[in-house]
Amino acid sequence: MSSENPAPNHFIRQIVMDDLDSGKHASIATRFPPEPNGYLHIGHAKSICLNFGLAQEFGGRCNLRFDDTNPAKEEQEYVDAIKEDVTWLGFHWAELRHASDYFELFHRCALRLIQDGAAYVCDLNAEEVRAYRGTLTEPGRPSPYRDRTIAENLDLFARMRAGEFDDGARTLRAKIDMSSGNINLRDPALYRIRKVAHQNTGDAWCIYPMYDYAHALSDAFEGITHSLCTLEFEDHRPLYDWCLDRLPVWAMPELADELARLELKPGRSRQIEFSRLNLDFLVMSKRKLLALVTDGLVSGWDDARMPTLRGIRRRGYTPEALRNFVRNAGVTKQQSVLEYSLLENEVRNDLDVRAERRLAVIDPLRLTITNLPADHDELLTLSNHPKDESCGTRQVGFSSQLVIEREDFMEVPPKGFHRLVPGGEVRLRSVGIVKCEEVIKDDAGNVIELRCTLDLTSRPGGTGSDRKIKGTIHWVSTRHAMQAEVRLYDRLFTVADPDDDHDGKSYRDYLNPLSVRTVTAFLEGSLKAVEPESRFQFERLGYFVADRLDHRADRPVFNRICTLRDSYAKAK
RNA sequence: UGGGAGAUCGUCCAACGGUAGGACAACGGACUCUGACUCCGUUUAUCUAGGUUCGAAUCCUAGUCUCCCAGCCA
């Protein structure tokens, strides 16, 4: 099995250890808070590994919480997919929560804010609010409704809640500072009117809380100690803290019954930001990913080329490799773009250790052994893993009628070519050394068959088996082979930064037309009855996985996860 | 011209006033019945300018560059 090294230290882990050492927290609590409006991608893996990983390492707890405060965008389908993906990645949540579980609590808190004179109902519409807000460099102006009386605010808010007003007609706003340099503090909206059914609460509410308000309170309700999020929320932190300063939910009697009902143990949380995970040669924004799907540029969210967790899984990447990748990437506040090779490297590391070896030919060239009877039929016993005997052995059929990889033969080889050439010798993996005696061509001059003799003494255990030969190539016996659809994947984009839209280009202009190639390959017969998602190394070709969705015993489909490193190809 | 954040090899991460180190990438070599794996070696970095200090990636000052923010999205 693959090994996962201990967690390297990073600034958030250090904060956690300090808080534990100082006694600020007896144990920690984190949460992974996705909005169920799309599928999870590699970027989310960082947040998942960080939140769940920290809780795991320090004996704390980590909740999965759906940030479902905007019913217009969210769907149950995504909730289900996210749960499945988190589980696949290898994590278990302490509790499954929804922000919508707390709608009653949010509402009571809003009442408290109004009573404290810290929030008011504003009648400005969206456009007017924007005009009053000012700009990045100019302060905003107070809303004409800013100084309503508490009684008036209470009455208006009750009527908002009762559905008396249209969508967008009014908002509940925090009364903070219209001249703040931080735009988030210029009386941000706390509640808006949306007469939309919610996938969880149905028609119970027509006012829904905004992210900043709901998120800070949700963290506090759940007793989250460390609320980890990405850098773009850095200047939301003052608002996060404002909410908890005004609403010490752990000490508000009017919340007690509801908190008890939900079995919540609230506490004050601290928001800490880290930089997102970005990868080159990929796009990661939900919008662009969605466009790839809806425009049919890929086959779906689970297309094996997609950077979604479902796509990555479909492709055959292992959760272990993904976790190692994220761990090695580290956690900082520096914006960064990781090289895709880091991820591939982890996949190869993991699979080299655990994937059994098989023989397969994806671009066949006929090879006949002329000094063996035409009906020669033999079962060879091959080891499943060169470095792990516990993987056992398997039987592979061998005959005089074989196919080899077309690129393993060249009539006019370049210098340094170690494979088959006319009159030359090469070792057939686990069989022995063959010599190419004759090259058969069709009328067009294409090589269609190689006729070779096998040096019988070079067979395993034979007197000449140790004879040094430069090259070893793989093969499959046609009589014993099965054919299968094999999908050869390559990167989806041709440039390192597909998001770069200079020169009027867009990521669509950088799509790799060769990102998938489907071929019919010859596979050794032992591959016949494998389960979907089982992974193998096809020797010298790469790592392959039986497709999770399409693979069937009677119609096998394999995906290439990644190639092997190929120093020869690189040298060419 | 506002507010927030960040600058260390090609990439990512360390070094917490005391020899700038690791991983990946690249390059060279060894090994090899997978041109894989493994092993060995090499190249490459502290944004700039001042200052403090015996000593600065780290502290101070000034500047430069990059990213984020003007949703009733999250």
Side-chain angles (χ1 to χ4, degrees), chain A residues 240-256:
Chain A
Y240 184 98
D241 289 333
W242 182 91
C243 288
L244 299 187
D245 286 342
R246 294 299 179 295
L247 298 164
V249 303
W250 47 89
M252 289 170 60
E254 69 265 45
L255 267 29

Side-chain angles (χ1 to χ4, degrees), chain A residues 359 367-382 394-404 427-434 452-456 458-460 473-481 524-525:
Chain A
L359 294 177
L367 184 152
T368 304
I369 297 176
T370 54
N371 61 334
L372 243 31
D375 62 353
H376 182 83
D377 193 321
E378 182 180 355
L379 278 180
L380 305 179
T381 300
L382 305 198
R394 69 189 187 283
Q395 308 260 280
V396 177
F398 170 65
S399 70
S400 60
Q401 308 295 319
L402 311 176
V403 286
I404 63 166
R427 186 184 298 278
L428 292 182
R429 179 76 159 151
S430 305
V431 168
I433 299 168
V434 291
C452 303
T453 50
L454 172 62
D455 173 359
L456 277 349
S458 71
R459 303 209 57 188
I473 65 175
H474 58 276
W475 54 272
V476 171
S477 162
T478 52
R479 187 187 309 158
H480 303 91
E524 63 167 76

Side-chain angles (χ1 to χ4, degrees), chain A residues 426-441:
Chain A
V426 78
R427 186 184 298 278
L428 292 182
R429 179 76 159 151
S430 305
V431 168
I433 299 168
V434 291
K435 181 174 187 183
C436 177
E437 308 282 3
E438 195 181 347
V439 178
I440 315 280
K441 299 182 181 180

Side-chain angles (χ1 to χ4, degrees), chain A residues 175-195:
Chain A
K175 191 189 284 191
I176 307 183
D177 178 5
M178 287 307 292
S179 64
S180 172
N182 183 343
I183 290 180
N184 296 119
L185 263 21
R186 318 239 263 230
D187 290 10
L190 263 20
Y191 266 96
R192 76 292 217 183
I193 301 169
R194 282 284 176 280
K195 292 181 174 166

